[in-house]
Amino acid sequence: GAGVSQTPSNKVTEKGKYVELRCDPISGHTALYWYRQSLGQGPEFLIYFQGTGAADDSGLPNDRFFAVRPEGSVSTLKIQRTERGDSAVYLCASSLRGQGSEQYFGPGTRLTVT
Amino acid sequence: ILNVEQSPQSLHVQEGDSTNFTCSFPSSNFYALHWYRWETAKSPEALFVMTLNGDEKKKGRISATLNTKEGYSYLYIKGSQPEDSATYLCAFLNQAGTALIFGKGTTLSVSS
């Protein structure tokens, strides 16, 4: 079956612009997670959805970052007024139930802010 | 603040060598420890989910052990092959079960 997919695979944008990153989880997975990996670091948690609601958004760095999952499937991570420090690989993962069940990752979107 | 440490940061071995990496994590409020392998331009691939103290899991030439009392896990690769070249990440599940806290990873390079 299909795994987690993310689009685009690469995104280059100018400082100050708005970007949207998309994640298609594995069908039937109720939990969805966003992480980002900056250069030289491990992936860092951003937000966790259970169904349509954000159950834990404690990892979002500031109010320029926002994520939605309106129908409990596809999720979009939105970044306003991008900064060079936002450059990273943004990873999405899904799991069957959340709360400790195994997370399956997509290939990531590499965001470069120039 | 939860901190997951991995060592070494990088490792270069010859084909056929056996190797091991270390992951250390907070020993209090333990829920689960995950190991992932991440090859360049691919998705991180789950290797093991470990929950019980003393757990030992094996998948082909790769195995892992867990000590929750002292807060460490070892990943072993027996007879390394070039296709084992990747970054190996360990992650500690937070108490709420909502997020994985990752280490920086160990990057393995295997030469033929």
Side-chain angles (χ1 to χ4, degrees):
Chain A
V4 178
S5 62
Q6 293 185 245
T7 55
S9 55
N10 280 283
K11 175 73 177 176
V12 180
T13 192
E14 291 180 351
K15 180 174 178 290
K17 299 289 188 185
Y18 168 83
V19 296
E20 289 190 352
L21 311 179
R22 176 186 167 111
C23 172
D24 281 82
I26 293 172
S27 177
H29 280 194
T30 62
L32 184 144
Y33 312 79
W34 283 99
Y35 295 83
R36 75 172 174 182
Q37 189 199 29
S38 302
L39 196 62
Q41 303 297 316
E44 174 191 25
F45 169 74
L46 296 176
I47 187 169
Y48 157 61
F49 286 91
Q50 182 59 250
T52 59
D56 183 353
D57 64 357
S58 62
L60 294 177
N62 52 58
D63 61 6
R64 295 187 297 105
F65 288 74
F66 190 70
V68 295
R69 194 185 185 202
E71 297 177 0
S73 178
V74 170
S75 176
T76 305
L77 179 66
K78 309 180 181 196
I79 310 174
Q80 297 177 322
R81 304 183 304 279
T82 52
E83 299 177 358
R84 292 198 180 89
D86 299 334
S87 297
V89 175
Y90 288 81
L91 290 165
C92 176
S94 69
S95 67
L96 190 58
R97 289 181 301 276
Q99 292 289 309
S101 56
E102 189 168 337
Q103 296 183 25
Y104 296 85
F105 281 83
T109 293
R110 180 174 295 278
L111 175 67
T112 303
V113 182
T114 62
Chain B
I1 296 177
L2 295 177
N3 211 26
V4 178
E5 302 284 345
Q6 291 189 249
S7 62
Q9 183 177 347
S10 63
L11 193 56
H12 189 138
V13 301
Q14 295 294 313
E15 183 176 359
D17 288 349
S18 294
T19 187
N20 66 85
F21 326 132
T22 304
C23 172
S24 60
F25 53 86
S27 56
S28 58
N29 299 316
F30 178 82
Y31 192 101
L33 189 85
H34 296 231
W35 279 100
Y36 285 87
R37 175 169 65 196
W38 194 3
E39 295 179 62
T40 304
K42 294 187 178 180
S43 305
E45 174 198 354
L47 291 174
F48 305 111
V49 179
M50 308 186 79
T51 55
L52 297 175
N53 184 43
D55 241 359
E56 182 167 346
K57 295 202 171 183
K58 190 173 180 182
K59 188 175 183 177
R61 294 178 293 99
I62 305 177
S63 60
T65 61
L66 179 69
N67 183 324
T68 60
K69 295 188 187 306
E70 296 182 37
Y72 65 83
S73 176
Y74 293 137
L75 188 80
Y76 300 91
I77 302 179
K78 186 177 176 182
S80 302
Q81 299 295 310
E83 57 265 31
D84 296 329
S85 298
T87 294
Y88 291 80
L89 293 162
C90 72
F92 175 85
L93 188 66
N94 72 352
Q95 192 176 2
T98 56
L100 289 173
I101 312 299
F102 282 87
K104 293 184 180 181
T106 294
T107 298
L108 174 67
S109 176
V110 183
S111 301
S112 56

